[in-house]
Amino acid sequence: MPAIVLVGAQWGDEGKGKATDLLGSSVDYVVKFNGGNNAGHTVVIGDQKYALHLLPSGILTAGCTPVIANGVVVDLAVLIEELDGLEARGVDTSKLLISANAHVIPPYNRVLDKVTERFLGQRRLGTTGRGIGPTYADKMNRVGIRVQDLYDESILRQKVEAALEVKNQVLLKIYNRRAVAVEEVMEELMRHAERIRPMVTDTALVLNTAVDRGETVLFEAGQATLLDVDHGTYPFVTSSNATSGGACTGSGVAPTRIDRVIAILKAYSTRVGEGPFPTELHDADGDFLRETGAEFGTTTGRPRRCGWLDVVVGRYATRINGVTDFVITKLDVLTGLETIPVCVAYDVQGTRHDEMPVNQSDFHHAQPVYEELPGWTEDISGCRTFDDLPPNAQRYVLRVEELVGARVSAIGVGPGRTQTIQRHSLLGAD
C-alpha cells in the first residue's frame, strides 16, 4: 500500500479537502505537514459542510488517524476551538496525533504579523495576519517554541522571556505598540497544554512504522505549489514548503518511501492576496467564475481573484512535484460558457515562454497566450463516468491532460462527496 502526497497545483483553494476525502476510506493516516490555520479545506458530506483550517481532512473519516506533523505551526486556541466544534457536531476527534516537534504560534507573533503587514502598506504581502510567517521565522532563527516545550514550564518561560526581549523592542520602538507581557503569553500557552497532552507523540516514528506495516499514509499539503517559499511566486508566498518535497521534511518520512504524488488542479485559476497572476480577469467572466464557483476564502472569507486555467503553471507543478496524477476540480463551474480560454504560454515583451519565466519580473509582466476550447451547456453535476460528460467537456479534460504532462485520474463535477468522476485509481492500482 502506498505513501501518497497530495498537493495543490496552483495558488491554493483547488479543492484538496475533497480529494483527501475521496481517498479517505482507503487511507489509514492523513498527515498535515506544513502551514498552519492560514489555509482552509471545505468538505461536504451529505447536507453537512465542514470548514477545516488546522486539522487534516482525514479527521472526518471513521477509522482514519489524522496527524499534525512537525512541519506545521499550531495556534493552540484555534486547534481547541476546531476540535470542540467538530465534537459538538458528533465527530470523533480522539485519534488526532500531534508532533512534539511542531512549533506553536505564540500571541506576540500574531501581533507582529498584523502590525508588520499594515506597516508595509502598498508593499504588503497579503498575509492572513495569523502569526504564521513570524513563527516560521522564529523556527529558522532557532528561537521558536515547540509543542514539547509546553510540558517543561521552566524551559517555556525562558524561551518566552528571551523572545520578548527582542520582540517587545520592535513593537515599542518601531511600531509604537504596547509591549507583550511574559505572563500573558505563558497563560495562553499553558491553558491548553493538558488538553492536547494525550495527542502529543513522536509522529515521525508512528508514520514510518505505519508504512512498514503496509498501511496507506496520505500527506496533505496546505497552500499550494506557487505559494511554496522556495518554488512559488516569491515573495508573494507562504512561509513553508507546500510542494511534495515538503512532505518529507515536514513529517520525517523519507523521499524513498513516497509512492505517488497527486496534484489538485482547479478547472480555472484563483488566487488570494497579492502577487502576479497572468490570467486574472477583471471583467464579467471573472465575476462569473467567482460567483458560480463561490470563490471566497474558507478561512478568511476574502473574495478570490479569478482567471482562466493556466497550464504553464500546471506543467510547472508537474515538474516540481513529480506529479503522477491530477485531479481536476470544479469542472461544473465552466458549464454555460460558449468558449473556454486556456493559457498555454506567455508573451513577455514579444518573447514567447512555454515554461515559467526564471525571473519574477518577467512573470509579473507575462501576458497569457490563449487557446480557445469549445464550451458546453449540459448540466454535468450528475455525471459519474467520463463517458457521461458532454463531448466538449471530455475534450477540455483531455486537452488539459495533454498540456500538463500527467494523467487526469479524477474530475470534480460538484461540491458533494459523490460528485466525482474517477478515471484511474488514485492509489496507483491501474
Side-chain angles (χ1 to χ4, degrees):
M1 297 295 283
I4 305 167
V5 181
L6 181 73
V7 299
Q10 296 153 303
W11 283 278
D13 308 310
E14 298 96 347
K16 294 184 293 294
K18 182 178 181 182
T20 303
D21 187 59
L22 179 68
L23 287 161
S25 60
S26 304
V27 171
D28 299 295
Y29 291 81
V30 175
V31 184
K32 183 179 176 72
F33 64 82
N34 76 299
N37 57 308
N38 55 336
H41 296 317
T42 300
V43 179
V44 179
I45 302 175
D47 60 353
Q48 296 292 307
K49 183 177 181 180
Y50 297 88
L52 304 176
H53 308 286
L54 187 55
L55 292 170
S57 299
I59 201 159
L60 298 173
T61 301
C64 182
T65 299
V67 178
I68 294 176
N70 58 274
V72 178
V73 291
V74 181
D75 187 314
L76 295 173
V78 171
L79 174 62
I80 299 304
E81 181 182 4
E82 199 161 336
L83 288 170
D84 288 345
L86 289 179
E87 288 168 7
R89 297 175 68 178
V91 177
D92 178 15
T93 65
S94 63
K95 297 187 72 174
L96 176 66
L97 300 179
I98 303 170
S99 172
N101 290 337
H103 281 244
V104 173
I105 300 175
Y108 48 77
N109 279 345
R110 294 197 299 270
V111 175
L112 279 167
D113 199 358
K114 290 174 183 175
V115 298
T116 302
E117 189 76 349
R118 285 198 293 269
F119 183 80
L120 288 172
Q122 290 186 343
R123 292 179 290 111
R124 65 189 182 275
L125 300 175
T127 77
T128 58
R130 286 165 165 78
I132 311 294
T135 301
Y136 276 113
D138 283 357
K139 179 178 179 177
M140 294 306 168
N141 286 326
R142 291 160 292 182
V143 295
I145 294 170
R146 298 193 293 180
V147 168
Q148 61 181 276
D149 296 328
L150 301 175
Y151 305 105
D152 189 323
E153 190 170 346
S154 174
I155 287 178
L156 178 63
R157 183 176 293 275
Q158 290 176 43
K159 289 191 171 188
V160 171
E161 288 173 346
L164 286 179
E165 283 182 10
V166 176
K167 293 177 188 290
N168 275 338
Q169 294 299 311
V170 174
L171 286 170
L172 286 166
K173 296 180 179 179
I174 297 178
Y175 297 122
N176 195 28
R177 295 294 193 274
R178 74 171 182 86
V180 177
V182 171
E183 291 305 323
E184 176 186 338
V185 177
M186 290 293 295
E187 191 280 329
E188 177 174 320
L189 295 179
M190 295 299 294
R191 187 189 318 150
H192 304 300
E194 289 309 309
R195 171 75 182 276
I196 68 167
R197 186 192 282 268
M199 308 171 189
V200 178
T201 189
D202 182 348
T203 55
L205 176 60
V206 170
L207 294 171
N208 276 285
T209 303
V211 176
D212 289 342
R213 290 195 301 263
E215 295 178 291
T216 301
V217 179
L218 179 65
F219 300 88
E220 176 186 61
Q223 307 287 351
T225 299
L226 290 190
L227 295 176
D228 184 280
V229 68
D230 284 293
H231 302 291
T233 50
Y234 191 89
F236 303 100
V237 293
T238 194
S239 304
S240 61
N241 289 112
T243 41
S244 59
C248 299
T249 55
S251 70
V253 175
T256 52
R257 314 209 77 179
I258 304 300
D259 297 286
R260 309 197 68 71
V261 178
I262 300 169
I264 315 305
L265 186 76
K266 195 180 291 185
Y268 50 98
S269 301
T270 62
R271 179 166 197 170
V272 171
E274 308 300 318
F277 183 5
T279 67
E280 184 173 11
L281 298 167
H282 301 281
D283 56 13
D285 286 330
D287 293 338
F288 170 83
L289 293 174
R290 186 176 302 106
E291 295 301 322
T292 308
E295 295 297 348
F296 300 90
T298 301
T299 297
T300 64
R302 288 186 291 185
R304 296 172 185 146
R305 300 158 64 190
C306 295
W308 300 120
L309 179 62
D310 186 334
V311 295
V312 181
V313 165
R315 282 195 294 274
Y316 181 74
T318 301
R319 182 169 68 252
I320 293 297
N321 293 292
V323 175
T324 59
D325 301 82
F326 274 100
V327 175
I328 292 180
T329 58
K330 291 196 168 185
L331 186 66
D332 54 301
V333 172
L334 301 181
T335 299
L337 295 170
E338 184 175 346
T339 59
I340 306 170
V342 173
C343 174
V344 296
Y346 304 136
D347 181 287
V348 182
Q349 298 178 339
T351 300
R352 181 183 172 107
H353 290 252
D354 292 301
E355 301 294 344
M356 290 280 287
V358 67
N359 295 322
Q360 180 71 10
S361 57
D362 285 345
F363 187 67
H364 180 77
H365 292 102
Q367 297 297 312
V369 176
Y370 286 117
E371 179 178 312
E372 299 275 346
L373 298 176
W376 60 91
T377 58
E378 301 92 331
D379 179 8
I380 66 171
S381 61
C383 296
R384 294 297 177 267
T385 70
F386 188 69
D387 289 339
D388 290 340
L389 290 172
N392 283 348
Q394 293 183 31
R395 293 188 188 103
Y396 186 85
V397 171
L398 293 174
R399 181 58 175 150
V400 170
E401 181 177 66
E402 179 183 12
L403 289 166
V404 297
R407 71 180 190 177
V408 173
S409 293
I411 305 153
V413 292
R417 195 173 206 175
T418 62
Q419 290 181 289
T420 305
I421 294 168
Q422 195 147 340
R423 296 178 69 211
H424 308 285
S425 171
L426 293 175
L427 297 174
D430 61 7

